[in-house]
């Protein structure tokens, strides 16, 4: 069972990492399509770049060995960013197919966090 859990962890974490990192890269580079997706939300352009950089750093923190507390913060940050994206789209009446990606990525974030191996968790004394 433990091996199956590890396989699922890496599949989900791989998909999450690819999607969040490439999306963050496109945001940091202020790609035309990415800016178009943010326009209805009313955020300034510099905010798009900032979010993109933080997304890339968060994925790096999740993937590199060690730094368990940093991983916890990175998971939280990605979850807050994805749920914030959903809420932003809903609040600005911009509910299109675009809203599916942040919902799925928020779920993948929780699954990756839950399935992570013991050596990537902060262990507390009971």
């Amino acid at each position: 069972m433990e091996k199956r859990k590890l396989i699922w962890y890496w599949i989900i974490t791989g998909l999450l990492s690819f999607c969040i990192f490439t999306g963050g890269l496109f945001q940091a580079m202020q790609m035309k399509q990415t800016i178009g997706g943010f326009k209805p939300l009313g955020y300034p352009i510099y905010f798009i770049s900032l979010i993109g950089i933080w997304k890339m750093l968060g994925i790096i923190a999740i993937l590199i060995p060690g730094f368990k507390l940093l991983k916890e913060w990175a998971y939280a940050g990605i979850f807050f960013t994805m749920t914030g994206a959903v809420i932003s789209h809903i609040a600005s009446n911009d509910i299109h197919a675009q809203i599916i990606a942040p919902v799925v990525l928020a779920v993948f974030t929780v699954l990756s966090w839950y399935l992570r191996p013991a050596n990537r968790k902060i262990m507390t004394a009971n």
Side-chain angles (χ1 to χ4, degrees), residues 1 5 18 20 22 26 30 36 47 64 70-71 74 83 86 90 92 95 97 99 108 112 121:
M1 182 63 179
K5 184 179 173 183
F18 177 77
I20 296 291
T22 55
F26 293 162
Q30 296 184 359
F47 185 70
I64 61 172
L70 182 61
K71 286 181 192 319
T83 55
V86 171
I90 292 169
S92 63
I95 305 171
I99 204 167
F108 277 16
S112 175
K121 295 180 181 179

Side-chain angles (χ1 to χ4, degrees), residues 6-76:
L6 185 64
I7 290 168
W8 276 111
Y9 165 77
W10 281 111
I11 290 169
I12 290 168
T13 303
L15 290 170
L16 175 71
S17 299
F18 177 77
C19 292
I20 296 291
F21 192 89
T22 55
L25 181 62
F26 293 162
Q27 290 170 339
M29 294 172 52
Q30 296 184 359
M31 301 289 284
K32 191 175 191 177
Q33 300 87 344
T34 305
I35 292 173
F38 271 82
K39 252 189 179 115
L41 306 178
Y43 291 117
I45 301 294
Y46 70 84
F47 185 70
I48 299 168
S49 296
L50 180 64
I51 291 292
I53 291 167
W54 283 112
K55 282 181 178 180
M56 291 187 297
L57 291 173
I59 290 301
I60 290 168
I62 287 171
L63 293 176
I64 61 172
F67 306 102
K68 295 174 184 180
L69 182 59
L70 182 61
K71 286 181 192 319
E72 294 288 327
W73 282 86
Y75 275 118

Side-chain angles (χ1 to χ4, degrees), residues 109-126:
T109 302
V110 172
L111 288 172
S112 175
W113 174 84
Y114 177 76
L115 294 170
R116 72 198 188 286
N119 66 349
R120 292 177 171 260
K121 295 180 181 179
I122 297 175
M123 299 297 182
T124 58
N126 292 336

